[in-house]
Amino acid sequence: MPFRIHQELFDSGREMSGTVVRVYQYGGLLKLRNSDDEWLAAQDRCEPVGRAPAPIERAESKKPEPLRIPPGTIPHPNCAPTDLQVGDFVVVDGQARRIDNMVGRVGTGRRTLFLDGGLVRPAKAVQNVYRAYP
């Protein structure tokens, strides 16, 4: 929604109302001012005054999705980077991700993991993995 200079807005990020004094062409930012303060606000967090502001979603109200153990695997706790294998599953952001490839120097214990979905992460010093049954 395009906003105009001198328009009254409610900024849900600061939970304050203010008047638009500048609309930035790039970045989706506005400069708002009220009698006490002047600040930058994101356009997507602003609503015109007079319309009820959208309810604020609190991050703590959402339950994280439980970890789904990949079928046909068993846990291998406390694996060093040198113990990891292509095909193992590691937990990244609460999801089990398959190791598609990895690179690293021999003997250093440092590895870079290439995971399914195009994610690239350094291997942790010790991490839990899920490996297919032998």
Side-chain angles (χ1 to χ4, degrees):
M1 164 185 260
F3 297 113
R4 303 177 319 274
I5 293 180
H6 303 297
Q7 185 177 8
E8 288 287 322
L9 299 178
F10 178 78
D11 179 5
S12 62
R14 284 200 175 206
E15 298 185 357
M16 294 172 50
S17 294
T19 303
V20 177
V21 292
R22 182 167 181 192
V23 178
Y24 292 91
Q25 185 176 3
Y26 301 105
L29 294 174
L30 303 167
K31 184 176 275 190
L32 299 179
R33 179 185 299 155
N34 62 18
S35 59
D36 299 328
D37 201 5
E38 185 173 280
W39 68 96
L40 289 176
Q43 288 186 17
D44 59 347
R45 302 199 90 192
C46 292
E47 300 267 342
V49 172
R51 185 191 312 177
I56 299 171
E57 277 190 44
R58 303 283 182 209
E60 61 268 8
S61 66
K62 293 183 179 180
K63 282 187 172 180
E65 192 171 315
L67 173 66
R68 293 185 182 156
I69 297 173
T73 63
I74 56 174
H76 285 264
N78 304 325
C79 283
T82 55
D83 297 334
L84 297 176
Q85 300 173 7
V86 172
D88 286 349
F89 289 85
V90 295
V91 179
V92 176
D93 298 330
Q95 294 182 357
R97 299 286 187 154
R98 184 179 185 278
I99 299 174
D100 288 337
N101 197 2
M102 61 185 139
V103 295
R105 293 186 182 177
V106 177
T108 63
R110 295 182 184 167
R111 290 208 170 163
T112 301
L113 306 177
F114 295 87
L115 308 173
D116 65 343
L119 294 174
V120 178
R121 297 283 191 269
K124 295 179 182 176
V126 174
Q127 62 189 58
N128 298 330
V129 300
Y130 295 91
R131 188 170 290 159
Y133 294 129

